[in-house]
Amino acid sequence: MHITRSARLVGATIIGVGLVTAALTGCSSSPSGGASPSAGGTYNLWDPYPDRDASSAWAKAIDSCASELGITIKRTASNTGDTVKDLTTAAPNLPDVALIDNPKVPTLAAAGLLTTTADTGLDTSDIQDNILSAGQVDGKTYGVPVGANTLGLYYNPTVLSAAGVDISTVKDWASLNAALDKVVAAGKKGITFSAVGTEEGSFQFLPWFWGAKAELTQLDSTAAQSSLALWTDWVKKGLAPNSVLQNTQGTSWDEFKTGEYAFAENGSWFKSDADKAGFKVIQIPGENGAAAPAPTGGEFLTIPVQKDTSRYATSVKIVNCLTQGNTAADALGYVAPTKAGQDAQLKADPTLQGWITAVADAKPRTSDNLGVKYATISEQLYTAVQKALSGSSSPADALKAAQAAAAQ
C-alpha cells in the first residue's frame, strides 16, 4: 500500500528512510514512441512519486539505469487516485514500464493492458512467494515487485510504563483490551488507527479481520463480526477516538506523535519517524494469540502491452536494472522482495528484523485468487466499517449488507 501524508495506499513505504508518499496514477500526453532497443531510443516510465524530484534516490536510480543501458528514460510521476483510468485511457500509447499498486495489478491485467512475465522473460524465481502472489492471477504473473511494506502495532513505552502495562503481556485481543483499559484509567489515550472510507480503511482493518480468521469471500461471518465489534467497542468505550472515521494513516500517525496514545496501528513506512521518537512496534496480535497476517503493500514494476513488441527487450532491462541488488527497494524504502536482498538490508540495519518478519507473515489483499473482485469487496468492507463505527448500524447488520452488495 502506498502512502502520502494523507495516506495513499497501497501500497508504497518507508523503511529506514522516513515517510514515502505515493501510489500510482501516471498520465502522459506523449506516445510510447522511440527507437528500437538496439538503437537506444526513448522509453517511458510512469511512477506514483511526484514528491520525488530529480535529486531523489529514486530519480537518480532511473537516471543511472538509463545511462547504463544507453537509452533515455522519460519519467512521468503523478498522484494516486486514477491509476486504472489513466492507464486504460492511455491505450494504445501505454508507457513501456509502469509502477502499479499491487491490488490494481489484477484489474489492469484483466483489461488486457499488461504483459506477463512469461511474455517478456522477466525472472521472478528468487522473489518471496507472498510478495509475488499479489501480482498473480490465474497462474500468470504480471510484473515484478520492487519490495513490500506492511502494518504493525506501534506503542509508546513511556505511556505504557506509566500505566503499569508490560508490552510482553499483549499477546491477543483480550490482553490488548486490558492494556487499553489500564492506559485510559491512568489518564492517557488508548489506540488510534485509520478507518477512513477508502481502500486505506480496508487496509488497516484487514489485520483484525484476518486475525479473527475471517475470509474476504464471506464478509458477514461470525469471525468477521467479531473483528468489527472489536473496533466498534473501542470507539464506544473511548479507547479509540471518533477521529478514526476520518483519519488517514498520516493523520493517525500525527495523533500518535502527540505522545498521548499508547498504541497506533500503522505502517513500516513510519519506522524512521518512530525510531526518532522512541516508539517501538510489535506485530498485530490475532484474536486468540499469534501474529495476525497484515496486508502486503507496495507496487509492481510492470511492462504494459506494446504494438511494437521489440521494445519489451529493453523494458525488461530497465526493470532488471531497477531491481538488481536492492536498487528500487532501498531508494523507495521497502523491505526487499528476495532473501538475499533482505539479508543485505539487515546487515546495514539490524533493527529491520521485526519488519522483515512481519512482511514474511503478510498476505496479499487479492489472495485466494480474488483478482478484480477485491476492489468491490474492499469497498463494501470499508463501508461496513464506517457504518458500524459511526453507530448507524450494528456490526452484524453492516457486514450483512456488505456481503449482499459484494455478492451482486
Side-chain angles (χ1 to χ4, degrees), residues 203-219:
F203 188 72
Q204 288 240 319
F205 184 59
L206 281 174
W208 312 96
F209 184 86
W210 285 333
K213 302 194 182 304
E215 297 182 1
L216 288 171
T217 52
Q218 192 63 45
L219 297 180

Side-chain angles (χ1 to χ4, degrees), residues 27-382:
C27 57
S28 173
S29 59
S30 62
S32 295
S36 66
S38 61
T42 298
Y43 288 77
N44 292 300
L45 182 151
W46 291 0
D47 71 43
Y49 310 119
D51 58 304
R52 293 178 178 271
D53 61 21
S55 67
S56 67
W58 170 242
K60 289 180 178 178
I62 294 171
D63 291 342
S64 177
C65 285
S67 177
E68 179 181 326
L69 298 174
I71 61 175
T72 296
I73 298 178
K74 181 181 178 182
R75 176 188 174 220
T76 300
S78 301
N79 287 315
T80 189
D82 297 309
T83 305
V84 175
K85 181 186 73 174
D86 286 350
L87 284 169
T88 300
T89 57
N93 297 317
L94 293 165
D96 296 283
V97 178
L99 200 59
I100 311 291
D101 192 20
N102 71 61
K104 300 299 184 184
V105 171
T107 300
L108 294 170
L113 301 180
L114 304 179
T115 61
T116 69
T117 55
D119 295 331
T120 60
L122 276 172
D123 182 13
T124 61
S125 59
D126 293 335
I127 297 174
Q128 195 166 291
D129 287 345
N130 70 322
I131 299 176
L132 183 64
S133 63
Q136 294 177 324
V137 182
D138 294 330
K140 296 179 180 180
T141 304
Y142 297 87
V144 176
V146 295
N149 59 26
T150 195
L151 296 166
L153 188 63
Y154 285 98
Y155 65 93
N156 186 326
T158 301
V159 171
L160 292 187
S161 178
V165 175
D166 181 351
I167 191 61
S168 68
T169 65
V170 178
K171 298 180 180 297
D172 53 22
W173 292 1
S175 54
L176 175 58
N177 284 335
L180 293 173
D181 286 335
K182 284 186 177 182
V183 167
V184 171
K188 291 291 186 179
K189 298 178 181 179
I191 185 170
T192 182
F193 50 89
S194 171
V196 67
T198 66
E199 169 63 20
E200 200 167 347
S202 294
F203 188 72
Q204 288 240 319
F205 184 59
L206 281 174
W208 312 96
F209 184 86
W210 285 333
K213 302 194 182 304
E215 297 182 1
L216 288 171
T217 52
Q218 192 63 45
L219 297 180
D220 58 351
S221 66
T222 301
Q225 292 175 35
S226 176
S227 61
L228 187 50
L230 178 74
W231 270 24
T232 304
D233 287 347
W234 283 348
V235 173
K236 283 182 178 179
K237 295 176 181 178
L239 301 178
N242 288 321
S243 58
V244 298
L245 281 159
Q246 293 81 40
N247 273 349
T248 64
Q249 291 173 118
T251 55
S252 174
W253 186 252
D254 288 340
E255 283 183 339
F256 186 55
K257 285 178 67 178
T258 63
E260 292 296 309
Y261 287 85
F263 295 98
E265 178 191 1
N266 228 309
S268 49
W269 50 93
F270 286 122
K271 178 185 182 300
S272 179
D273 215 15
D275 290 345
K276 293 175 185 176
F279 302 145
K280 305 295 183 182
V281 67
I282 60 173
Q283 286 184 258
I284 296 169
E287 182 174 16
N288 297 312
T296 53
E299 290 82 33
F300 273 59
L301 277 165
T302 66
I303 298 177
V305 172
Q306 302 292 326
K307 286 184 178 179
D308 180 3
T309 59
S310 69
R311 298 181 68 82
Y312 295 154
T314 298
S315 297
V316 167
K317 291 178 181 179
I318 294 170
V319 173
N320 286 340
C321 182
L322 288 172
T323 54
Q324 67 185 2
N326 286 335
T327 301
D330 289 344
L332 300 175
Y334 284 96
V335 168
T338 65
K339 185 180 186 305
Q342 292 171 7
D343 288 346
Q345 289 179 325
L346 274 177
K347 185 175 181 180
D349 181 6
T351 67
L352 284 175
Q353 181 59 70
W355 283 115
I356 288 175
T357 299
V359 165
D361 291 339
K363 182 176 178 178
R365 283 162 279 174
T366 55
S367 59
D368 302 323
N369 209 35
L370 290 177
V372 296
K373 298 177 184 177
Y374 173 74
T376 298
I377 293 170
S378 173
E379 180 179 2
Q380 298 307 322
L381 187 61
Y382 66 65

